[in-house]
């Protein structure tokens, strides 16, 4: 079902339709574009709508509107909401997620965990899971349980970062990470990995904050049916912070592109702001200028 040529270098941008896109999302898209160009990679739009409860029509519309308004092209993936619903929604890939989960289950790599977040936080530091349920043998088919992976945090993981292979291990923070959530839907780690394998993504560009997820996904890729995820070329870019030093995210109050547009900001004004976040010397006004400035700064 892979719709693309296996020979292309493919990366993706993967927004979630659970809010209006903000300047931090756009920054990640244009950084992806800059790095993709260096690798002559095609870019796929992959909208991660796994969390159907938080999905809203206007958030889906907003993704296409923003890409359009800011003239950020994508090579592959849905061109509009109809195409997205018909062909690309993660709903269509639930059988693939189930197949991967069943394989892990058949190999006795999963266990049920009924811990609340509160309980986990009380017994661990930095949110890592202290394996409370690993030896409890709760039935997997019980209601309201997470399915966790029995991880081996001493196992070597090979990762390719910017063409350079090196070895790592699974960090403590993602010990026994969740594979299937309490609502029976696949976890982000599982779905993202299965999607990347399905579409043949072979370069993944993401912020350094997702480095642990990369290790989790590489680890997981060795436990599901044969795939070439281990040969993915990763690029973890620096995180850009607001002038206040805070993270550029919705929860930190970053403005949505929608709000900026409604207050009369032009495309050029938004790019100028992106350039300021990046610390570019000269003002920029479009994607091409962003890409040029990104590479000349390096
Ligand atoms: Zn537990």
């Amino acid at each position: 079902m892979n719709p693309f040529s296996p020979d292309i270098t493919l990366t993706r941008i993967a927004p979630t339709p659970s809010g209006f896109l903000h300047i931090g999302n756009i920054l990640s898209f244009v950084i992806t574009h800059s790095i993709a160009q260096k690798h002559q990679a095609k870019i796929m739009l992959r909208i991660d709508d796994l969390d159907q409860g938080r999905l809203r029509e206007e958030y889906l519309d907003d993704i296409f509107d923003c890409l359009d308004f800011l003239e950020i092209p994508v090579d592959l993936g849905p061109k509009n909401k109809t195409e997205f619903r018909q062909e690309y929604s993660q709903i269509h890939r639930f059988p693939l997620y189930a197949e991967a989960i069943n394989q892990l289950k058949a190999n006795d790599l999963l266990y049920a965990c009924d811990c609340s977040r509160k309980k986990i936080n009380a017994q661990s530091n930095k949110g890592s899971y202290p394996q409370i349920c690993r030896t409890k043998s709760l039935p997997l088919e019980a209601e309201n349980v997470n399915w966790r992976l029995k991880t081996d945090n001493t196992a070597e993981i090979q990762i390719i970062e910017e063409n350079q292979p090196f070895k790592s291990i699974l960090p403590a923070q993602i010990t026994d990470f969740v594979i299937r959530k309490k609502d029976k839907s696949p976890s982000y780690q599982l779905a993202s990995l299965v999607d990347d394998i399905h579409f043949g993504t072979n370069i993944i560009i993401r912020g350094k904050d997702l480095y642990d997820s990369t290790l989790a996904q590489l680890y997981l890729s060795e436990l599901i049916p044969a795939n070439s995820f281990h040969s993915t070329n990763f690029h973890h870019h620096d995180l850009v912070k607001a002038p206040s030093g805070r993270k550029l995210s919705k929860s930190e109050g970053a403005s949505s592109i929608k709000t900026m547009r409604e207050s009369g900001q032009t495309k050029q004004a938004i790019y100028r702001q992106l350039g300021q976040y990046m610390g570019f010397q000269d003002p920029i006004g479009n994607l091409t200028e962003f890409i040029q400035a990104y590479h000349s700064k390096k």
Side-chain angles (χ1 to χ4, degrees), residues 113-115 129 133:
C113 161
D114 61 0
C115 296
Y129 180 67
C133 298

Side-chain angles (χ1 to χ4, degrees), residues 72-84:
I72 301 172
V74 288
D75 303 295
L76 299 159
K79 288 179 194 65
N80 52 53
K81 203 165 68 171
T82 310
E83 267 190 30
F84 171 69

Side-chain angles (χ1 to χ4, degrees), residues 11-74:
T11 190
R12 79 292 198 282
I13 55 175
T16 305
S18 58
F20 293 111
L21 294 183
H22 59 78
I23 193 100
N25 298 122
I26 302 302
L27 198 51
S28 126
F29 297 170
V30 293
I31 290 174
T32 299
H33 251 281
S34 306
I35 297 167
Q37 194 190 60
K38 199 174 102 186
H39 292 270
Q40 293 173 316
K42 300 261 186 240
I43 299 176
M44 181 190 176
L45 171 63
R46 192 189 86 191
I47 299 173
D48 284 0
D49 65 336
L50 206 57
D51 191 348
Q52 291 283 312
R54 291 172 68 201
L55 178 133
R56 274 168 44 187
E57 288 300 307
E58 57 261 50
Y59 298 152
L60 262 182
D61 289 328
D62 180 65
I63 292 172
F64 293 101
D65 286 350
C66 285
L67 293 176
D68 209 42
F69 178 72
L70 294 167
E71 296 181 65
I72 301 172
V74 288

